[in-house]
Structures are given as structure tokens and as C-alpha cells.
Amino acid sequence: MLDEAEAMPAADAGARTVPEKRPLLLFLVTEDWYFCSHRLPAARAARDAGFRVAVATRVARHGAAIEAEGFELHPLPWVRRSLNPLAALRDVLAIARLYARLKPDVVHHVAVKPAVLGGIAAVLAGVPGVVTTLAGRGLLLQREDGAGRLAGVLLRTLLRAVGLGRRARVIVQNRDDLAWLGGVPATLIRGSGVPLDRFVPLPLPPDGTPFTLAQVSRMLTIKGVDVLVGAVRRVRARGLDVRLILAGEPDRESHAAIGAGTLEAWAREPGIEWPGHVSDVRTVWARAHLAVLASRGGEGVPMCLLEAAACGRPLLATDIPGSREVAQAGRNAVLVAPDDADALAGAIAALATDRARLERLAAGSRGVVDPAFGAATVAAETVAVYRALLDR
């Protein structure tokens, strides 16, 4: 017969084998590619911090990559560009059913459509913790006319309603959006995070090589691609041999998509290259003297500018919320007014003919993003928001 001292350790050991329930964090994102390009650092950090991580999104080509990370994947049939109210209602009910079934401890809605539809679904399903990231407001919410103001009032009202009776937090990526939210409780976390160990400083192309600028983005009118093409035409008409690389695909789910026919026609013009999607954009920055984003607005903190700055590229950007967080005039960037091809052309010509200035701006770029915009910093700040909601 075992005595008490011998019997007790076995019972304690058995008790210790019962795993502690890990909190479930569920991301609601429109597209699987966007989750992989912008949310992976935070999701990985949450997983490593002890969360179960699930992703609800429209699945196209990246479902296997999401599941390979150990994340649960829940496909959604929604269409990002759809404005059909009945389809939106159907999506809300489907998301609410998913929330009721999974019972997440925290849901993270990323961008405006998930914020709206997911916010309503979270109220219906009684989700206890809600994080909403506004990765830029889009053009409508930046407008100062009646439609823009009405849309802003409705979104801020919804965000306040989602916060009633539950733990909730809004994350914004730039100071302009933080001010725009007014009294809605919010946290500033600038950007989605760039992996600084992968994007490292690259030497500028040698002096004497054709001056090359590049825009890495979706091929959309809201990204100002058409304005940039017009600016390059103006510069080349002055006799300057400047080259433009447009790296990215037309986003067929966006109303602002530029057709492939237009892009192919541009690529037939002297000095313009359209390689389409580039899987490793570091190859673009190795060729380019200058990174450009001619966006008309609606940015959070543009990943393309973060990656270019991490590679030590000087920036030329429009003076809009989000872009000016990383493109800091005089330090690493030149800023021009949006939708102004003449101003953009003037800035390109000035930088193409002033190597010393170009090198000064390039030298300042890495220090802007390291460490403030690094993936590790942004992920840690985001996980701290999740933890704070659970602790409350």
C-alpha cells in the first residue's frame, strides 16, 4: 500500500496535464492576400503569446499559406466591392453565425467594410472583445462634402455602439485619422509593420545610370498611377532620360481599377515598364533611385513606402494622411500636392538632376522606419491591445 507522500505526486501530475484554455483571437479581413501581406506579424505574435488564431476571409490563393501558420481558416463568400444592401445583410448574418459558433474572446476587424459588417455582427452575437483597425479612411470618409460627412458620422456612431457593453478598442495608423475619430477611444499604431531583417538598406544605383523611379502598389486611380504616368511624360518631354517601373496588378475587386489594356499601352511608351506583380519587391528597389506613391488619399501608412524606406530609398509622395507619417519632408522625402502632375514632374526632375540631395534623403530613410515601423514593434503593440482587452 502506498503512503500519502507517495500517492499525492501522481494526483498533482495528473492535474497539471490539463491544458489551460487559450483565448481565441479571430481576424475578419476582406481578402486572404491582404491578411498575408499586412496582418501576419500581429497574428504570429498573438499565436506566440498564447492565443489561438483564426482568420475569416474570402479565400482565393492564400488559404494554404494561412493554414500552414497553424491558424484556423474560415472562408467567407463576400465580395469586397459589392454595395448591395441585401448582400451586406446576408454577410452580417453569416458573420454573426460564425461568431456565435466559434465564441471568440477577441475579434479583430481590419479596414472599413469588416469594421461595419463585423461590428454589427459582433453586437448580434455578443462578442466580448472587439478590436477595429482603420487602415486608412478611403476617399469617401476623407471628403468634406455632405456624403463624406454623413459617412463619417455613421461610422463613428457604429464604433461607439460596438463599444457599449463590451471591451472594444479602435486602432488607427496615422495622427490625422486619430484626430478624425474625435471621442471614439483609439490607439495609434503606425502601420502594419515591415520586417526590418528582410528589407535592409541597398546601395543606390550607380551615378550615370538612367534615373529610375518606381511605384509599387495596386494599379488603381486612387493610387495616382495615372497622374504619375502623366508626370513622367512631362519630364521625358524636357529631355531627361527618366525611367518608371509600375510594379503591381490591377485590383479587379476595386471600382478604381486601371484596366490591363491601359497598363499595357503605357508599358509600350518609352521609359515606362509594367512588370505586373513582383513577388520580391526588393528587386525593384535595387533598380530604383526613388520610390514614389502618387496616391490621391485614403492611406493608413502605406506598406510600399515603409518597405522602400527600409531599403534606404528616398521617397516622393503626395502630402496626404498616412503617407506623410513615413515620407517626412526634408528628412527622407519630398511631398507634393495630390492630383498635380506638374508638381510631381517638377519634383522628379529636381531629384533626377541633384545626386547629392538624393543621397541625403536616402540616408535618412532607414532611420524613419527603424525601429518605430518595424514588424516586431507593431506586432508587440497590437498584442498589447489584445491583452488589455482580456485583462479588463
Side-chain angles (χ1 to χ4, degrees):
M1 179 179 177
L2 295 175
D3 63 22
E4 184 176 350
E6 293 175 308
M8 288 302 292
D12 289 346
R16 285 195 296 271
T17 62
V18 177
E20 182 181 352
K21 180 180 180 295
R22 294 184 297 156
L24 175 60
L25 167 66
L26 174 60
F27 286 89
L28 180 66
V29 185
T30 50
E31 305 282 352
D32 58 354
W33 65 261
Y34 184 81
F35 174 82
C36 288
S37 64
H38 287 71
R39 291 295 120 192
L40 265 182
R44 286 169 172 164
R47 176 196 62 201
D48 296 344
F51 285 84
R52 288 170 53 213
V53 176
V55 182
T57 186
R58 190 173 80 93
V59 177
R61 292 180 295 178
H62 296 80
I66 293 172
E67 291 182 316
E69 295 283 344
F71 306 148
E72 302 171 21
L73 182 61
H74 300 278
L76 294 176
W78 63 2
V79 178
R80 175 161 42 100
R81 69 180 293 176
S82 173
L83 299 176
N84 187 319
L86 292 178
L89 176 60
R90 187 167 58 246
D91 291 337
V92 167
L93 295 176
I95 296 166
R97 286 193 295 269
L98 178 67
Y99 287 176
R101 177 166 59 87
L102 296 180
K103 295 181 172 54
D105 298 278
V106 177
V107 293
H108 189 162
H109 303 144
V110 182
V112 174
K113 183 167 184 174
V116 174
L117 303 189
I120 297 170
V123 172
L124 295 175
V127 175
V130 179
V131 177
T132 302
T133 290
L134 296 181
R137 280 179 275 153
L139 290 180
L140 173 60
L141 291 169
Q142 287 189 178
R143 281 164 47 180
E144 296 297 331
D145 60 7
R149 287 194 296 270
L150 176 60
V153 169
L154 292 175
L155 179 58
R156 287 189 292 264
T157 300
L158 173 65
L159 293 173
R160 291 189 183 96
V162 170
L164 294 176
R166 62 183 44 80
R167 303 181 297 273
R169 198 71 182 174
V170 177
I171 296 173
V172 293
Q173 296 189 336
N174 62 68
R175 289 164 288 191
D176 295 85
D177 290 354
L178 185 65
W180 176 83
L181 279 174
V184 178
T187 298
L188 176 63
I189 299 179
R190 297 190 298 167
S192 302
V194 59
L196 297 173
D197 57 342
R198 183 167 182 265
F199 290 87
V200 299
L202 302 170
L204 286 173
D207 198 6
T209 58
F211 186 81
T212 301
L213 56 145
Q215 177 160 320
V216 176
S217 71
R218 290 175 292 157
M219 296 292 104
L220 305 174
T221 56
I222 60 174
K223 297 294 183 182
V225 180
D226 53 329
V227 182
L228 178 56
V229 169
V232 168
R233 288 170 177 158
R234 286 165 169 78
V235 177
R236 290 184 61 86
R238 300 179 191 179
L240 290 175
D241 183 18
V242 299
R243 314 287 177 87
L244 170 63
I245 303 171
L246 296 173
E249 293 180 320
D251 183 352
R252 294 173 179 83
E253 290 295 328
S254 173
H255 295 279
I258 297 172
T262 298
L263 292 163
E264 289 165 356
W266 288 344
R268 289 193 290 270
E269 296 183 25
I272 300 178
E273 176 184 344
W274 176 54
H277 172 72
V278 177
S279 58
D280 186 352
V281 297
R282 293 173 299 179
T283 61
V284 174
W285 301 130
R287 296 175 55 197
H289 297 78
L290 178 67
V292 185
L293 183 61
S295 179
R296 290 179 162 95
E299 302 289 344
V301 175
M303 181 66 79
C304 60
L305 293 183
L306 292 173
E307 292 173 344
C311 289
R313 287 298 169 266
L315 309 180
L316 172 58
T318 44
D319 191 5
I320 60 171
S323 290
R324 55 178 169 249
E325 296 284 329
V326 58
Q328 299 179 7
R331 181 180 178 185
N332 72 325
V334 173
L335 296 177
V336 299
D339 216 4
D340 189 337
D342 288 330
L344 199 58
I348 293 168
L351 290 168
T353 55
D354 191 343
R355 177 79 181 196
R357 184 185 181 196
L358 194 75
E359 290 177 344
R360 284 196 304 272
L361 295 175
S365 262
R366 178 73 182 195
V368 171
V369 299
D370 188 1
F373 292 93
T377 299
V378 170
E381 292 173 347
T382 305
V383 172
V385 172
Y386 304 150
R387 285 291 184 200
L389 293 189
L390 290 181
D391 292 343
R392 286 174 55 193

